[in-house]
PDB file of all heavy atoms in Angstrom:
ATOM      1  N   ARG A   1       0.863  -1.182  -0.010  1.00 97.00           N
ATOM      2  CA  ARG A   1       0.005   0.009  -0.016  1.00 97.00           C
ATOM      3  C   ARG A   1       0.906   1.228  -0.009  1.00 97.00           C
ATOM      4  O   ARG A   1       1.865   1.309   0.787  1.00 97.00           O
ATOM      5  CB  ARG A   1      -0.903   0.004   1.247  1.00 97.00           C
ATOM      6  CG  ARG A   1      -1.721   1.263   1.476  1.00 97.00           C
ATOM      7  CD  ARG A   1      -2.856   1.375   0.480  1.00 97.00           C
ATOM      8  NE  ARG A   1      -3.472   2.682   0.626  1.00 97.00           N
ATOM      9  CZ  ARG A   1      -4.732   2.935   0.335  1.00 97.00           C
ATOM     10  NH1 ARG A   1      -5.518   1.967  -0.108  1.00 97.00           N
ATOM     11  NH2 ARG A   1      -5.224   4.130   0.483  1.00 97.00           N
ATOM     12  N   GLU A   2       0.589   2.186  -0.859  1.00 97.00           N
ATOM     13  CA  GLU A   2       1.355   3.427  -0.939  1.00 97.00           C
ATOM     14  C   GLU A   2       0.540   4.539  -0.267  1.00 97.00           C
ATOM     15  O   GLU A   2      -0.670   4.649  -0.492  1.00 97.00           O
ATOM     16  CB  GLU A   2       1.554   3.747  -2.431  1.00 97.00           C
ATOM     17  CG  GLU A   2       2.436   4.938  -2.694  1.00 97.00           C
ATOM     18  CD  GLU A   2       2.646   5.102  -4.199  1.00 97.00           C
ATOM     19  OE1 GLU A   2       3.386   4.296  -4.785  1.00 97.00           O
ATOM     20  OE2 GLU A   2       2.046   6.040  -4.773  1.00 97.00           O
ATOM     21  N   ILE A   3       1.204   5.308   0.568  1.00 97.00           N
ATOM     22  CA  ILE A   3       0.564   6.408   1.304  1.00 97.00           C
ATOM     23  C   ILE A   3       1.408   7.663   1.134  1.00 97.00           C
ATOM     24  O   ILE A   3       2.614   7.596   1.305  1.00 97.00           O
ATOM     25  CB  ILE A   3       0.409   6.064   2.807  1.00 97.00           C
ATOM     26  CG1 ILE A   3      -0.451   4.819   2.987  1.00 97.00           C
ATOM     27  CG2 ILE A   3      -0.138   7.252   3.596  1.00 97.00           C
ATOM     28  CD1 ILE A   3      -0.444   4.241   4.384  1.00 97.00           C
ATOM     29  N   HIS A   4       0.780   8.753   0.776  1.00 97.00           N
ATOM     30  CA  HIS A   4       1.460  10.029   0.633  1.00 97.00           C
ATOM     31  C   HIS A   4       1.167  10.913   1.825  1.00 97.00           C
ATOM     32  O   HIS A   4       0.030  10.957   2.308  1.00 97.00           O
ATOM     33  CB  HIS A   4       1.018  10.724  -0.662  1.00 97.00           C
ATOM     34  CG  HIS A   4       1.406   9.983  -1.878  1.00 97.00           C
ATOM     35  ND1 HIS A   4       2.433  10.381  -2.683  1.00 97.00           N
ATOM     36  CD2 HIS A   4       0.917   8.840  -2.435  1.00 97.00           C
ATOM     37  CE1 HIS A   4       2.572   9.528  -3.682  1.00 97.00           C
ATOM     38  NE2 HIS A   4       1.667   8.569  -3.566  1.00 97.00           N
ATOM     39  N   PHE A   5       2.181  11.632   2.279  1.00 98.00           N
ATOM     40  CA  PHE A   5       1.967  12.593   3.369  1.00 98.00           C
ATOM     41  C   PHE A   5       3.085  13.636   3.341  1.00 98.00           C
ATOM     42  O   PHE A   5       4.125  13.441   2.724  1.00 98.00           O
ATOM     43  CB  PHE A   5       1.906  11.909   4.741  1.00 98.00           C
ATOM     44  CG  PHE A   5       3.171  11.282   5.221  1.00 98.00           C
ATOM     45  CD1 PHE A   5       3.926  11.862   6.221  1.00 98.00           C
ATOM     46  CD2 PHE A   5       3.638  10.077   4.684  1.00 98.00           C
ATOM     47  CE1 PHE A   5       5.103  11.270   6.681  1.00 98.00           C
ATOM     48  CE2 PHE A   5       4.803   9.487   5.134  1.00 98.00           C
ATOM     49  CZ  PHE A   5       5.534  10.086   6.126  1.00 98.00           C
ATOM     50  N   CYS A   6       2.817  14.767   3.955  1.00 97.00           N
ATOM     51  CA  CYS A   6       3.786  15.846   4.028  1.00 97.00           C
ATOM     52  C   CYS A   6       4.302  15.944   5.463  1.00 97.00           C
ATOM     53  O   CYS A   6       3.538  15.828   6.395  1.00 97.00           O
ATOM     54  CB  CYS A   6       3.130  17.177   3.629  1.00 97.00           C
ATOM     55  SG  CYS A   6       2.486  17.175   1.949  1.00 97.00           S
ATOM     56  N   TYR A   7       5.588  16.157   5.594  1.00 97.00           N
ATOM     57  CA  TYR A   7       6.145  16.297   6.925  1.00 97.00           C
ATOM     58  C   TYR A   7       7.360  17.207   6.880  1.00 97.00           C
ATOM     59  O   TYR A   7       7.961  17.420   5.834  1.00 97.00           O
ATOM     60  CB  TYR A   7       6.553  14.924   7.490  1.00 97.00           C
ATOM     61  CG  TYR A   7       7.724  14.250   6.805  1.00 97.00           C
ATOM     62  CD1 TYR A   7       8.990  14.307   7.364  1.00 97.00           C
ATOM     63  CD2 TYR A   7       7.553  13.570   5.614  1.00 97.00           C
ATOM     64  CE1 TYR A   7      10.088  13.700   6.716  1.00 97.00           C
ATOM     65  CE2 TYR A   7       8.611  12.955   4.969  1.00 97.00           C
ATOM     66  CZ  TYR A   7       9.883  13.033   5.521  1.00 97.00           C
ATOM     67  OH  TYR A   7      10.941  12.429   4.898  1.00 97.00           O
ATOM     68  N   GLY A   8       7.700  17.748   8.021  1.00 97.00           N
ATOM     69  CA  GLY A   8       8.889  18.540   8.156  1.00 97.00           C
ATOM     70  C   GLY A   8       9.821  17.912   9.173  1.00 97.00           C
ATOM     71  O   GLY A   8       9.399  17.101   9.989  1.00 97.00           O
ATOM     72  N   HIS A   9      11.085  18.297   9.136  1.00 97.00           N
ATOM     73  CA  HIS A   9      12.039  17.782  10.110  1.00 97.00           C
ATOM     74  C   HIS A   9      13.317  18.605  10.019  1.00 97.00           C
ATOM     75  O   HIS A   9      13.456  19.487   9.180  1.00 97.00           O
ATOM     76  CB  HIS A   9      12.318  16.293   9.925  1.00 97.00           C
ATOM     77  CG  HIS A   9      13.106  15.933   8.708  1.00 97.00           C
ATOM     78  ND1 HIS A   9      13.877  14.828   8.622  1.00 97.00           N
ATOM     79  CD2 HIS A   9      13.242  16.545   7.508  1.00 97.00           C
ATOM     80  CE1 HIS A   9      14.474  14.741   7.439  1.00 97.00           C
ATOM     81  NE2 HIS A   9      14.081  15.793   6.741  1.00 97.00           N
ATOM     82  N   ARG A  10      14.233  18.284  10.887  1.00 97.00           N
ATOM     83  CA  ARG A  10      15.603  18.736  10.767  1.00 97.00           C
ATOM     84  C   ARG A  10      16.470  17.743  11.543  1.00 97.00           C
ATOM     85  O   ARG A  10      15.984  17.033  12.414  1.00 97.00           O
ATOM     86  CB  ARG A  10      15.802  20.153  11.285  1.00 97.00           C
ATOM     87  CG  ARG A  10      15.810  20.317  12.781  1.00 97.00           C
ATOM     88  CD  ARG A  10      16.286  21.700  13.128  1.00 97.00           C
ATOM     89  NE  ARG A  10      16.128  22.031  14.523  1.00 97.00           N
ATOM     90  CZ  ARG A  10      16.439  23.205  15.018  1.00 97.00           C
ATOM     91  NH1 ARG A  10      16.892  24.145  14.196  1.00 97.00           N
ATOM     92  NH2 ARG A  10      16.280  23.440  16.285  1.00 97.00           N
ATOM     93  N   LEU A  11      17.739  17.731  11.191  1.00 98.00           N
ATOM     94  CA  LEU A  11      18.663  16.794  11.803  1.00 98.00           C
ATOM     95  C   LEU A  11      19.660  17.561  12.659  1.00 98.00           C
ATOM     96  O   LEU A  11      20.408  18.386  12.138  1.00 98.00           O
ATOM     97  CB  LEU A  11      19.407  15.979  10.738  1.00 98.00           C
ATOM     98  CG  LEU A  11      18.514  15.248   9.735  1.00 98.00           C
ATOM     99  CD1 LEU A  11      19.352  14.484   8.726  1.00 98.00           C
ATOM    100  CD2 LEU A  11      17.532  14.328  10.425  1.00 98.00           C
ATOM    101  N   LEU A  12      19.625  17.290  13.946  1.00 97.00           N
ATOM    102  CA  LEU A  12      20.560  17.916  14.853  1.00 97.00           C
ATOM    103  C   LEU A  12      21.955  17.327  14.676  1.00 97.00           C
ATOM    104  O   LEU A  12      22.112  16.149  14.334  1.00 97.00           O
ATOM    105  CB  LEU A  12      20.117  17.722  16.306  1.00 97.00           C
ATOM    106  CG  LEU A  12      18.769  18.341  16.668  1.00 97.00           C
ATOM    107  CD1 LEU A  12      18.425  18.038  18.146  1.00 97.00           C
ATOM    108  CD2 LEU A  12      18.731  19.830  16.403  1.00 97.00           C
ATOM    109  N   GLU A  13      22.987  18.158  14.868  1.00 96.00           N
ATOM    110  CA  GLU A  13      24.369  17.739  14.787  1.00 96.00           C
ATOM    111  C   GLU A  13      24.793  17.268  13.390  1.00 96.00           C
ATOM    112  O   GLU A  13      25.684  16.449  13.233  1.00 96.00           O
ATOM    113  CB  GLU A  13      24.706  16.672  15.843  1.00 96.00           C
ATOM    114  CG  GLU A  13      24.438  17.138  17.258  1.00 96.00           C
ATOM    115  CD  GLU A  13      24.172  15.998  18.229  1.00 96.00           C
ATOM    116  OE1 GLU A  13      24.352  14.842  17.865  1.00 96.00           O
ATOM    117  OE2 GLU A  13      23.786  16.312  19.369  1.00 96.00           O
ATOM    118  N   TYR A  14      24.038  17.739  12.389  1.00 96.00           N
ATOM    119  CA  TYR A  14      24.289  17.345  11.006  1.00 96.00           C
ATOM    120  C   TYR A  14      24.916  18.546  10.275  1.00 96.00           C
ATOM    121  O   TYR A  14      24.466  19.664  10.411  1.00 96.00           O
ATOM    122  CB  TYR A  14      22.977  16.957  10.334  1.00 96.00           C
ATOM    123  CG  TYR A  14      23.112  16.556   8.887  1.00 96.00           C
ATOM    124  CD1 TYR A  14      23.641  15.306   8.577  1.00 96.00           C
ATOM    125  CD2 TYR A  14      22.705  17.404   7.871  1.00 96.00           C
ATOM    126  CE1 TYR A  14      23.766  14.933   7.237  1.00 96.00           C
ATOM    127  CE2 TYR A  14      22.820  17.032   6.538  1.00 96.00           C
ATOM    128  CZ  TYR A  14      23.351  15.797   6.232  1.00 96.00           C
ATOM    129  OH  TYR A  14      23.472  15.405   4.924  1.00 96.00           O
ATOM    130  N   ASP A  15      25.982  18.308   9.509  1.00 95.00           N
ATOM    131  CA  ASP A  15      26.681  19.371   8.802  1.00 95.00           C
ATOM    132  C   ASP A  15      26.241  19.378   7.323  1.00 95.00           C
ATOM    133  O   ASP A  15      26.980  18.932   6.449  1.00 95.00           O
ATOM    134  CB  ASP A  15      28.188  19.225   8.933  1.00 95.00           C
ATOM    135  CG  ASP A  15      28.932  20.402   8.368  1.00 95.00           C
ATOM    136  OD1 ASP A  15      28.335  21.521   8.307  1.00 95.00           O
ATOM    137  OD2 ASP A  15      30.108  20.241   7.974  1.00 95.00           O
ATOM    138  N   GLY A  16      25.033  19.829   7.092  1.00 94.00           N
ATOM    139  CA  GLY A  16      24.492  19.868   5.736  1.00 94.00           C
ATOM    140  C   GLY A  16      23.173  20.623   5.765  1.00 94.00           C
ATOM    141  O   GLY A  16      22.727  21.112   6.818  1.00 94.00           O
ATOM    142  N   LYS A  17      22.522  20.721   4.630  1.00 94.00           N
ATOM    143  CA  LYS A  17      21.291  21.482   4.534  1.00 94.00           C
ATOM    144  C   LYS A  17      20.178  20.979   5.442  1.00 94.00           C
ATOM    145  O   LYS A  17      19.330  21.735   5.879  1.00 94.00           O
ATOM    146  CB  LYS A  17      20.786  21.520   3.077  1.00 94.00           C
ATOM    147  CG  LYS A  17      21.647  22.294   2.133  1.00 94.00           C
ATOM    148  CD  LYS A  17      20.994  22.568   0.791  1.00 94.00           C
ATOM    149  CE  LYS A  17      20.681  21.310   0.037  1.00 94.00           C
ATOM    150  NZ  LYS A  17      20.152  21.562  -1.302  1.00 94.00           N
ATOM    151  N   CYS A  18      20.185  19.710   5.735  1.00 94.00           N
ATOM    152  CA  CYS A  18      19.124  19.126   6.556  1.00 94.00           C
ATOM    153  C   CYS A  18      19.211  19.515   8.032  1.00 94.00           C
ATOM    154  O   CYS A  18      18.381  19.125   8.827  1.00 94.00           O
ATOM    155  CB  CYS A  18      19.079  17.609   6.422  1.00 94.00           C
ATOM    156  SG  CYS A  18      18.522  17.089   4.779  1.00 94.00           S
ATOM    157  N   ARG A  19      20.197  20.331   8.379  1.00 96.00           N
ATOM    158  CA  ARG A  19      20.242  20.811   9.768  1.00 96.00           C
ATOM    159  C   ARG A  19      19.221  21.925   9.988  1.00 96.00           C
ATOM    160  O   ARG A  19      18.931  22.289  11.125  1.00 96.00           O
ATOM    161  CB  ARG A  19      21.642  21.307  10.106  1.00 96.00           C
ATOM    162  CG  ARG A  19      22.060  22.576   9.440  1.00 96.00           C
ATOM    163  CD  ARG A  19      23.469  22.994   9.870  1.00 96.00           C
ATOM    164  NE  ARG A  19      23.918  24.154   9.144  1.00 96.00           N
ATOM    165  CZ  ARG A  19      24.826  24.157   8.188  1.00 96.00           C
ATOM    166  NH1 ARG A  19      25.373  22.994   7.812  1.00 96.00           N
ATOM    167  NH2 ARG A  19      25.189  25.244   7.596  1.00 96.00           N
ATOM    168  N   TYR A  20      18.661  22.453   8.913  1.00 97.00           N
ATOM    169  CA  TYR A  20      17.645  23.496   9.004  1.00 97.00           C
ATOM    170  C   TYR A  20      16.228  22.882   8.937  1.00 97.00           C
ATOM    171  O   TYR A  20      16.027  21.849   8.290  1.00 97.00           O
ATOM    172  CB  TYR A  20      17.791  24.494   7.858  1.00 97.00           C
ATOM    173  CG  TYR A  20      19.176  25.126   7.820  1.00 97.00           C
ATOM    174  CD1 TYR A  20      20.032  24.856   6.787  1.00 97.00           C
ATOM    175  CD2 TYR A  20      19.589  25.990   8.847  1.00 97.00           C
ATOM    176  CE1 TYR A  20      21.298  25.436   6.734  1.00 97.00           C
ATOM    177  CE2 TYR A  20      20.858  26.547   8.805  1.00 97.00           C
ATOM    178  CZ  TYR A  20      21.697  26.262   7.755  1.00 97.00           C
ATOM    179  OH  TYR A  20      22.939  26.833   7.730  1.00 97.00           O
ATOM    180  N   LEU A  21      15.267  23.544   9.567  1.00 96.00           N
ATOM    181  CA  LEU A  21      13.869  23.117   9.453  1.00 96.00           C
ATOM    182  C   LEU A  21      13.469  23.167   7.972  1.00 96.00           C
ATOM    183  O   LEU A  21      13.693  24.175   7.309  1.00 96.00           O
ATOM    184  CB  LEU A  21      12.953  24.015  10.277  1.00 96.00           C
ATOM    185  CG  LEU A  21      13.168  23.993  11.789  1.00 96.00           C
ATOM    186  CD1 LEU A  21      12.367  25.101  12.449  1.00 96.00           C
ATOM    187  CD2 LEU A  21      12.769  22.641  12.358  1.00 96.00           C
ATOM    188  N   HIS A  22      12.901  22.068   7.503  1.00 97.00           N
ATOM    189  CA  HIS A  22      12.466  21.999   6.107  1.00 97.00           C
ATOM    190  C   HIS A  22      11.419  20.905   5.976  1.00 97.00           C
ATOM    191  O   HIS A  22      11.160  20.178   6.915  1.00 97.00           O
ATOM    192  CB  HIS A  22      13.643  21.747   5.171  1.00 97.00           C
ATOM    193  CG  HIS A  22      14.286  20.401   5.379  1.00 97.00           C
ATOM    194  ND1 HIS A  22      15.108  20.138   6.450  1.00 97.00           N
ATOM    195  CD2 HIS A  22      14.206  19.262   4.650  1.00 97.00           C
ATOM    196  CE1 HIS A  22      15.520  18.884   6.365  1.00 97.00           C
ATOM    197  NE2 HIS A  22      14.977  18.326   5.274  1.00 97.00           N
ATOM    198  N   GLY A  23      10.794  20.825   4.813  1.00 96.00           N
ATOM    199  CA  GLY A  23       9.725  19.844   4.641  1.00 96.00           C
ATOM    200  C   GLY A  23       9.917  18.954   3.418  1.00 96.00           C
ATOM    201  O   GLY A  23      10.736  19.233   2.543  1.00 96.00           O
ATOM    202  N   HIS A  24       9.131  17.888   3.408  1.00 97.00           N
ATOM    203  CA  HIS A  24       9.150  16.909   2.311  1.00 97.00           C
ATOM    204  C   HIS A  24       7.730  16.489   1.955  1.00 97.00           C
ATOM    205  O   HIS A  24       6.837  16.434   2.816  1.00 97.00           O
ATOM    206  CB  HIS A  24       9.892  15.636   2.718  1.00 97.00           C
ATOM    207  CG  HIS A  24      11.347  15.869   2.949  1.00 97.00           C
ATOM    208  ND1 HIS A  24      12.256  15.996   1.941  1.00 97.00           N
ATOM    209  CD2 HIS A  24      12.050  15.986   4.119  1.00 97.00           C
ATOM    210  CE1 HIS A  24      13.464  16.156   2.441  1.00 97.00           C
ATOM    211  NE2 HIS A  24      13.372  16.161   3.757  1.00 97.00           N
TER     212      HIS A  24
END
């Protein structure tokens, strides 16, 4: 079963763009 959803996150202690709040 395929399910679509929107979520945001960020990665602590990460040295890249994903250290900022963002969504998918």
Side-chain angles (χ1 to χ4, degrees):
R1 172 73 188 207
E2 187 176 287
I3 299 169
H4 294 255
F5 67 106
C6 300
Y7 68 99
H9 71 153
R10 76 169 170 182
L11 305 180
L12 297 179
E13 301 156 9
Y14 180 75
D15 188 25
K17 291 192 299 185
C18 290
R19 71 179 175 254
Y20 303 112
L21 294 170
H22 65 285
H24 294 283

